[in-house]
Amino acid sequence: MENSPLHFQLESLRFLEATDFDILEGLFTREETAGSGKLLAIEGGAADKVMVLSKGWALRYKSLPDGRRQILNFLLPGDIVGFFALLFKTVEYGIETLTPVTMNSFSPEKLLDAFNNAPRLAVALSWLAGQDERQLDEQIVRVGRRSATERMAHLFVELHYRLLQAGIPGDEAQHFPMKQTILADTLGMSHVHANRSFRTLVREGLVTLRDGEILLLDPDSLAQVAGFDAGYLEQESLPKATESALPH
Amino acid sequence: MENSPLHFQLESLRFLEATDFDILEGLFTREETAGSGKLLAIEGGAADKVMVLSKGWALRYKSLPDGRRQILNFLLPGDIVGFFALLFKTVEYGIETLTPVTMNSFSPEKLLDAFNNAPRLAVALSWLAGQDERQLDEQIVRVGRRSATERMAHLFVELHYRLLQAGIPGDEAQHFPMKQTILADTLGMSHVHANRSFRTLVREGLVTLRDGEILLLDPDSLAQVAGFDAGYLEQESLPKATESALPH
DNA sequence: CGCGTGGTTGAGGGGATTCAATTGAGGTGG
DNA sequence: CCACCTCAATTGAATCCCCTCAACCACGCG
């Protein structure tokens, strides 16, 4: 647990104390696992818990009645899943595992308790939710205003960056366990065009396909191609005004 | 204040008590106004407060170095602006008013205070943030997986629906004070194509241009064209499990 | 009354889509 | 051990949606 991606991320915030981490431990129920290709949430269903992914990949998506599907974001180790879901009667999105995953969950009671009794922890969890929202913003820009190749390169760099931030070792953080259809549904294009865009990146030696996984060969050049600006992923300590407004 | 759009929305939640509303009042500093076309936040700047819009329209956007711009969402009366911004050193988006606006703001201290001392209010504000995130999700679907005309119709219906939810009278909720360039930057298309899509909707009698504003003529048919499903905007009371976990 | 902003439309080109066909890697059952 | 099936990747061809360039108009304003 001490080495979990969540811990790793929260420590980079540098303002949680040992007691906060203890409380965090206490929040979790037992660890759960799920195989790959499993549904962790279905569109229109109800949420009864909040989860934290500690291992594996999943994705969050919405689908249209005619079968079109849009992937909203990727869920990586250390990510909170369904932070707001407890506040709504139905979940509007689906969640599907891309690999086998392990996760912890906490119940509504425990979570609300923590918000009342551990303000610093509450801020830390909100901060994670805020990170999430920043990533959604960037996904909108990506899909709305970037060309197909840019989109793909940009997504690759983001995923790589996020994996590193979760404490995943560098080489593992360059392997992405996704099919090209997933890419297409993420980037808002057809799978045929996803393949063509992918191939151009391959031709330029930036990326390749190995053992059914996508492998980044040159993250720096990819960032170049993508016009990637990591600002929205930066994990800094809290601004002073907020920091000083916190109890303790 | 009692008739403000924020109040109107929170009351539809049906679980805040009179004392919560009192505390909410206490959070606000004086009311502020700004003219149209003014910047309320600049990309890369710092946030020092959270705002609630009580009148007027604004928009939140990100821009790329080469001048491309993507509008992330519209800010309407009753919306919270920058809920998470206090947790980050820099704001990654810009905010620009579309019309003259009036708003209230609260400081970090007051907001954090409220989260510690008024759990039900904290949940209500989080719920608003959750609403926001649902809208971002839908914006991703809109831009990623809908055709140009669908996109536009869908946006129109969402805005109409949200205005009604904010307590704006029906006829006023059909007037949108935006130029077609704004539409283009929201929907991820060129302004020329935004115009062509718009003209298509005009030809079908669903919408028109009046006094420099967009005027909805037939929201129901627009919803039809858009394949609009209001699920993601539904304002229901909290799920039971969460409700019962709340103090009091 | 000249200028800027916003809307509108035509023409031409290019990026992306759909339809289709082929290949290869696994997995399964006989 | 191989025929057979499925899933994923790949590529060609035709088409179409959307983009850029460009021109023109309407309107409001200093």
Side-chain angles (χ1 to χ4, degrees):
Chain A
M1 186 64 212
E2 296 70 34
N3 299 317
S4 77
L6 181 63
H7 257 66
F8 193 87
Q9 293 210 53
L10 290 180
E11 259 161 19
S12 74
L13 260 182
R14 303 199 173 291
F15 81 97
L16 281 192
E17 295 159 18
T19 56
D20 295 316
F21 282 109
D22 290 342
I23 298 174
L24 184 58
E25 304 288 331
L27 285 183
F28 291 115
T29 60
R30 74 203 166 295
E31 189 171 84
E32 297 169 63
T33 65
S36 88
K38 293 285 178 295
L39 288 177
L40 302 184
I42 58 173
E43 295 169 274
D48 53 342
K49 59 190 177 199
V50 171
M51 294 175 293
V52 170
L53 203 58
S54 54
K55 195 167 186 321
W57 289 47
L59 48 84
R60 200 168 64 88
Y61 65 91
K62 288 185 83 164
S63 38
L64 300 181
D66 63 4
R68 284 177 288 183
R69 178 173 79 150
Q70 175 66 44
I71 292 168
L72 304 169
N73 60 357
F74 283 87
L75 304 172
L76 305 182
D79 281 352
I80 293 205
V81 184
F83 184 71
F84 288 115
L86 295 181
L87 303 179
F88 298 93
K89 283 205 169 123
T90 62
V91 201
E92 294 292 315
Y93 49 81
I95 295 182
E96 185 181 331
T97 59
L98 218 46
T99 69
V101 300
T102 78
M103 54 208 170
N104 294 93
S105 58
F106 25 69
S107 62
E109 304 84 42
K110 294 227 178 183
L111 187 60
L112 290 167
D113 263 16
F115 267 79
N116 296 331
N117 303 321
R120 298 179 79 88
L121 184 57
V123 167
L125 293 176
S126 302
W127 180 84
L128 287 171
Q131 282 274 100
D132 228 79
E133 191 159 295
R134 290 177 143 203
Q135 288 165 23
L136 288 185
D137 286 349
E138 193 60 35
Q139 166 75 338
I140 294 172
V141 177
R142 194 155 46 204
V143 173
R145 281 297 181 220
R146 294 184 193 274
S147 74
T149 317
E150 278 179 342
R151 288 215 275 282
M152 189 168 291
H154 195 278
L155 174 67
F156 287 158
V157 179
E158 172 181 312
L159 291 172
H160 177 59
Y161 203 97
R162 285 174 58 194
L163 289 170
L164 291 179
Q165 286 184 330
I168 309 278
D171 54 334
E172 190 183 336
Q174 290 177 240
H175 292 261
F176 302 160
M178 58 171 89
K179 308 297 176 199
Q180 294 183 9
T181 302
I182 303 289
L183 272 180
D185 283 345
T186 304
L187 302 174
M189 60 180 85
S190 69
H191 78 277
V192 173
H193 200 62
N195 175 266
R196 293 198 222 272
S197 304
F198 184 73
R199 294 264 94 217
T200 56
L201 292 180
V202 169
R203 265 193 303 281
E204 292 170 14
L206 307 178
V207 75
T208 190
L209 211 53
R210 179 122 74 223
D211 303 326
E213 287 196 336
I214 290 168
L215 174 58
L216 295 203
L217 296 176
D218 188 344
D220 291 342
S221 302
L222 274 173
Q224 196 90 30
V225 169
F228 187 83
D229 173 0
Y232 73 104
L233 291 176
E234 230 59 87
Q235 294 182 323
E236 307 166 312
S237 52
L238 295 187
K240 287 199 194 63
T242 303
E243 173 74 51
S244 62
L246 276 174
H248 193 68
Chain B
M1 187 64 212
E2 295 72 32
N3 299 317
S4 78
L6 181 62
H7 257 66
F8 193 87
Q9 294 210 54
L10 289 181
E11 260 161 18
S12 73
L13 260 181
R14 303 198 172 295
F15 82 97
L16 281 191
E17 295 159 18
T19 55
D20 294 317
F21 281 109
D22 291 342
I23 298 174
L24 184 58
E25 303 289 329
L27 286 183
F28 290 116
T29 60
R30 74 202 166 295
E31 190 170 84
E32 298 169 63
T33 65
S36 86
K38 293 285 179 296
L39 288 177
L40 302 184
I42 58 173
E43 295 169 274
D48 54 342
K49 60 192 175 196
V50 172
M51 293 176 294
V52 170
L53 202 58
S54 54
K55 196 169 187 317
W57 289 46
L59 48 84
R60 199 167 65 88
Y61 65 91
K62 288 185 82 164
S63 37
L64 300 181
D66 63 5
R68 285 177 287 182
R69 178 173 79 149
Q70 176 66 45
I71 291 167
L72 304 169
N73 60 356
F74 284 87
L75 305 172
L76 305 181
D79 281 352
I80 293 203
V81 184
F83 183 70
F84 287 115
L86 295 181
L87 303 179
F88 297 94
K89 285 206 167 121
T90 62
V91 199
E92 294 293 314
Y93 49 81
I95 295 182
E96 184 181 331
T97 59
L98 264 182
T99 68
V101 299
T102 78
M103 54 209 172
N104 294 91
S105 58
F106 26 67
S107 61
E109 303 85 40
K110 295 226 178 185
L111 188 60
L112 289 168
D113 263 15
F115 266 78
N116 296 331
N117 304 321
R120 299 181 78 87
L121 184 57
V123 168
L125 294 176
S126 302
W127 181 83
L128 287 171
Q131 282 275 101
D132 228 79
E133 191 159 296
R134 288 177 145 206
Q135 288 165 23
L136 289 185
D137 286 349
E138 192 60 37
Q139 166 76 338
I140 294 173
V141 177
R142 194 155 48 207
V143 174
R145 280 299 182 218
R146 292 183 195 275
S147 74
T149 317
E150 279 178 341
R151 288 213 276 280
M152 190 169 290
H154 195 278
L155 175 67
F156 287 159
V157 179
E158 172 180 312
L159 291 172
H160 177 58
Y161 202 98
R162 285 174 58 193
L163 289 169
L164 292 179
Q165 286 184 329
I168 309 281
D171 54 333
E172 190 183 336
Q174 291 178 244
H175 292 260
F176 303 159
M178 58 172 87
K179 308 299 177 198
Q180 295 185 6
T181 302
I182 304 288
L183 272 181
D185 284 344
T186 304
L187 301 174
M189 60 181 86
S190 70
H191 79 277
V192 173
H193 200 64
N195 175 268
R196 290 198 224 272
S197 305
F198 184 73
R199 295 265 93 216
T200 306
L201 294 178
V202 169
R203 265 194 303 281
E204 293 172 12
L206 307 178
V207 74
T208 189
L209 212 53
R210 181 119 76 222
D211 304 326
E213 286 195 336
I214 290 169
L215 174 58
L216 295 202
L217 296 176
D218 188 345
D220 291 341
S221 301
L222 274 172
Q224 196 90 31
V225 169
F228 187 82
D229 173 358
Y232 73 104
L233 292 176
E234 231 57 87
Q235 295 182 322
E236 306 165 313
S237 52
L238 296 186
K240 287 197 194 67
T242 304
E243 173 73 51
S244 62
L246 277 173
H248 192 69

